[in-house]
Amino acid sequence: MTSVVQVPKENLTSQDIGRRNAVPIICTRGTHYEIGFDIGRTFSKMIGDFVERYRPLVYEETLACVREQYPQYVREIEGTADGSGVPFYKLFLMHLDDIVPNVVDNGAQGNDQPVGCSSIVCNQSGQEILGHNEDALAETLNHWYIVDAHVQEPDLPEEKFTSLSYAGFLPGYTMGYNYHGLVYCINTLSAKTLRSGKTPRYFMTRALLGVENYVQAQEVLRNEGYGAAEGFSVNMTFLLQDGDRMFHNAEIGPCETDMACSQLNVQTASPGEYLYHCNKYMRLKVPEVNGLIIDSSIHRMQAIERHPPPKTVRDVIDILSDQTDDDFRVYQEIRPEDHVKTIATGIFDCIARTWSIYTDKPNCNKPIVVLPLHIKNCETVCCKRP
């Protein structure tokens, strides 16, 4: 005999009704829109209850987080959406790239593509160089541009910057500089566990384009009160800093559950030193995904280490052009079937104050353009093309 437990109606809630022996049915006819409308109208209460209970609400939580911190950058995306005719939600979802699948699957998602970038710093007398290969899925090839922007808005700091940007994304998550003298590039890092309701890396690196000094850069990366949703690293220097040239690599890890800030570890290359970074944590003890991005990084780092420490810009270019590995190359383009390609190489010369951009392997091609670094209160020459 089946035992039935009677629960007073006033105590029933959508949270604890348990399994119901009921099958709601709707019979509807119409277009895709009409069928969806009828389903929503009929089951609005059930849908609302489910949405309230569902965790994580990655999109809404993260949008609320960035609206609170960076409403101006949300407006940038809105402007891009309106100008391009692409819905805002699609553009914003692109800025959540790894967060949604990772959080929904509780960190089970790995990165199955060897995406990422390779960066080299050479800090020698007369040779102060930051070099960077921007690697991306092959579909990204020819879908990027340079943004040179002067932002003026009441009650907000003025911003002037130049950044390589993927189509539809906020500027900042690749390589670029600002008129306060920040020169930098980014490496994606793939932590195993990402955070909903925290700050996506695209917004943190967009905020870097407005910083005036190294202290402010660290504040942006720590992101006190919120913390990073994902991992990445920043290779940077400030052209207007006092004293000797210093380059820094900052590794950023997702906010831990008991913290309200990013994990942060900084390595500095003083005069006479060099550093490199790919797409694997080298210092922070952050659990990482299992996937090709890690395998690729290990191979690229091994290839870089086979070169002598770079002493000149030519050495940096030769390292970034390396294709000696059979599986994963520093310069990623040799076979038509390769899913990942180096879409651009950038060489920042901190003494000449130029940014050379290559669209082919740099050790056997000339840069497509050499941009002067327009720095606050400093004279520069006009853009020159080789």
Side-chain angles (χ1 to χ4, degrees):
M1 179 179 293
T2 301
S3 174
V4 178
V5 178
Q6 297 292 334
V7 180
K9 289 183 178 180
E10 62 270 21
N11 293 332
L12 285 174
T13 71
S14 61
Q15 300 287 328
D16 58 16
I17 61 174
R19 184 189 298 272
R20 306 311 301 154
N21 294 317
V23 182
I25 298 175
I26 180 174
C27 298
T28 180
R29 177 186 293 142
T31 65
H32 285 287
Y33 175 82
E34 290 166 344
I35 289 171
F37 180 88
D38 287 338
I39 292 170
R41 183 170 66 98
T42 304
F43 299 120
S44 61
K45 178 64 167 61
M46 186 187 298
I47 294 168
D49 289 343
F50 180 72
V51 169
E52 286 299 316
R53 294 183 66 185
Y54 184 73
R55 292 292 181 268
L57 285 178
V58 181
Y59 182 97
E60 294 295 342
E61 287 180 341
T62 308
L63 180 57
C65 173
V66 296
R67 278 196 190 280
E68 189 170 318
Q69 297 179 80
Y70 302 121
Q72 69 273 34
Y73 302 146
V74 176
R75 291 197 295 274
E76 280 189 23
I77 300 176
E78 290 171 342
T80 300
D82 291 342
S84 65
V86 177
F88 170 83
Y89 80 89
K90 289 188 177 182
L91 294 185
F92 189 72
L93 280 171
M94 290 197 309
H95 290 78
L96 306 187
D97 52 10
D98 291 339
I99 303 174
V100 175
N102 181 280
V103 173
V104 169
D105 285 354
N106 294 315
Q109 288 277 342
N111 192 331
D112 293 328
Q113 298 291 348
V115 295
C117 304
S118 303
S119 304
I120 309 288
V121 162
C122 168
N123 195 4
Q124 298 291 327
S125 176
Q127 300 281 302
E128 299 170 2
I129 307 297
L130 172 59
H132 179 74
N133 278 353
E134 185 65 32
D135 300 339
L137 294 176
E139 293 80 2
T140 309
L141 195 68
N142 304 319
H143 291 83
W144 56 271
Y145 41 75
I146 302 294
V147 175
D148 183 273
H150 183 185
V151 183
Q152 294 177 299
E153 188 167 333
D155 303 321
L156 288 174
E158 180 185 36
E159 293 185 359
K160 290 183 181 180
F161 61 82
T162 304
S163 173
L164 189 152
S165 303
Y166 294 137
F169 282 88
L170 286 170
Y173 193 70
T174 53
M175 53 180 155
Y177 76 97
N178 72 15
Y179 88 137
H180 296 293
L182 167 67
V183 173
Y184 79 106
C185 59
I186 303 296
N187 311 114
T188 293
L189 299 176
S190 292
K192 184 176 182 180
T193 302
L194 309 185
R195 303 298 181 191
S196 175
K198 301 298 181 180
T199 309
R201 51 198 175 202
Y202 293 98
F203 285 83
M204 295 174 69
T205 54
R206 172 62 185 86
L208 278 179
L209 288 172
V211 302
E212 298 184 18
N213 51 55
Y214 179 53
V215 172
Q216 289 184 6
Q218 292 182 86
E219 291 173 352
V220 165
L221 298 176
R222 287 197 183 94
N223 198 225
E224 293 284 350
Y226 301 92
E230 310 154 275
F232 61 101
S233 86
V234 183
N235 311 279
M236 59 184 164
T237 190
F238 281 85
L239 300 182
L240 301 183
Q241 67 190 19
D242 294 330
D244 293 333
R245 167 72 51 227
M246 298 291 180
F247 289 92
H248 312 280
N249 171 263
E251 289 186 343
I252 296 89
C255 174
E256 296 185 324
T257 53
D258 58 345
M259 298 172 61
C261 65
S262 311
Q263 301 177 69
L264 179 65
N265 182 286
V266 179
Q267 177 187 4
T268 297
S270 300
E273 299 178 341
Y274 89 107
L275 60 80
Y276 66 86
H277 213 283
C278 294
N279 307 106
K280 186 180 187 326
Y281 283 102
M282 300 177 71
R283 302 179 305 277
L284 274 180
K285 305 302 180 183
V286 174
E288 296 178 280
V289 300
N290 295 317
L292 293 180
I293 191 169
I294 302 301
D295 298 337
S296 170
S297 294
I298 291 172
H299 281 250
R300 283 180 280 139
M301 290 190 293
Q302 290 172 343
I304 291 170
E305 289 171 351
R306 288 194 289 269
H307 290 261
K311 302 293 185 183
T312 67
V313 64
R314 186 66 195 184
D315 294 340
V316 172
I317 288 173
D318 286 341
I319 294 172
L320 291 175
S321 302
D322 189 290
Q323 293 183 317
T324 57
D325 193 276
D326 291 334
D327 298 311
F328 304 104
R329 292 155 295 284
V330 178
Y331 192 89
Q332 304 222 57
E333 183 175 53
I334 195 169
R335 299 172 301 198
E337 67 272 19
D338 285 350
H339 295 294
V340 171
K341 297 184 184 298
T342 299
I343 64 171
T345 298
I347 301 293
F348 293 95
D349 187 324
C350 297
I351 295 178
R353 295 190 175 176
T354 58
W355 177 15
S356 300
I357 300 174
Y358 299 78
T359 52
D360 292 295
K361 194 165 69 164
N363 70 346
C364 53
N365 290 281
K366 291 183 178 181
I368 197 71
V369 65
V370 179
L371 301 174
L373 303 181
H374 292 280
I375 307 302
K376 188 176 183 180
N377 299 327
C378 293
E379 292 184 357
T380 58
V381 298
C382 294
C383 170
K384 53 183 180 178
R385 297 180 183 275

